[in-house]
Amino acid sequence: MTPGDLAGLFAEPQRLRAFAAMVLGAGSVPEVAASAGLSVREAAVAVRRLRDGGLVAGEDGGDGDGGLRVEAGRFRELARAQGAESGDAEAAGEPLHRSVRGGRIVHLPARKGRRLPVLRHVVERSFGTGRVYGEREVDDRLRVWCEGGATDHVTVRRYLIDECLLKREDGRYWRP
């Protein structure tokens, strides 16, 4: 399952409501229908699609025996697979929270695979796309991230340029 598949399963409001009802304890189609404010038919269709997508397991006897259950492990699997594909800090064994705390970089990892998620985090929260920044503004935004840490803003700026997370030309910077 991909993130797009997951989004597709939840794109239909009835499926989202049915899933929420099961998360909150509904264990049969009639319970899902009552809890989600759906007809029994709508609930049955939603449950079938969620089961086909691997997010729900169990059989519904319709007698409220609690046979349906959410497969929370599917979300963990998807998160792990997505992390491994993107090469993020969690997948590299370096949680972002070890490097960034309270909006500050407390530690900039030396290894590129661990450093990149930190840099992406900084650039995504500091620079919008479609806007050009002057060097002073870039430095001011990065200084905030580096206050009280072991890394200076010039180093972070250099890494952002080197990793193509920011582009630079004639003292102007922008996020590609």
Side-chain angles (χ1 to χ4, degrees):
M1 175 179 286
T2 67
D5 296 335
L6 182 63
L9 281 172
F10 290 135
E12 177 64 39
Q14 286 87 356
R15 286 193 296 265
L16 185 60
R17 290 167 59 189
F19 185 78
M22 285 183 281
V23 166
L24 294 173
S28 68
V29 170
E31 289 175 0
V32 169
S35 180
L38 301 171
S39 70
V40 173
R41 182 180 172 349
E42 290 172 320
V45 169
V47 167
R48 182 176 39 83
R49 289 290 311 272
L50 292 167
R51 186 184 297 122
D52 291 347
L55 297 180
V56 172
E59 295 298 321
D60 175 44
D63 56 6
D65 65 353
L68 296 174
R69 66 186 178 286
V70 170
E71 288 291 322
R74 295 288 290 161
F75 291 96
R76 283 189 294 277
E77 291 169 14
L78 180 59
R80 284 188 189 116
Q82 186 65 22
E85 288 173 13
S86 67
D88 70 6
E90 289 287 349
E94 180 79 17
L96 192 60
H97 68 80
R98 290 188 187 161
S99 298
V100 177
R101 279 192 218 117
R104 305 280 192 265
I105 299 172
V106 294
H107 164 71
L108 192 61
R111 288 179 45 196
K112 181 179 179 176
R114 294 180 178 183
R115 182 176 57 241
L116 222 71
V118 175
L119 296 172
R120 284 190 189 114
H121 178 81
V122 169
V123 81
E124 288 170 2
R125 283 156 184 78
S126 300
F127 303 100
T129 55
R131 178 158 178 237
V132 176
Y133 300 87
E135 188 163 340
R136 176 172 283 162
E137 188 174 6
V138 170
D139 286 347
D140 290 344
R141 289 172 182 251
L142 295 178
R143 258 190 213 103
V144 171
W145 285 96
C146 298
E147 288 175 1
T151 305
D152 65 291
H153 71 282
V154 177
T155 301
V156 174
R157 186 182 67 205
R158 169 58 43 211
Y159 278 130
L160 291 173
I161 299 298
D162 290 349
E163 299 298 341
C164 298
L165 296 170
L166 280 183
K167 297 285 187 177
R168 176 180 65 186
E169 186 177 308
D170 298 326
R172 295 175 306 150
Y173 297 78
W174 65 95
R175 189 174 156 196

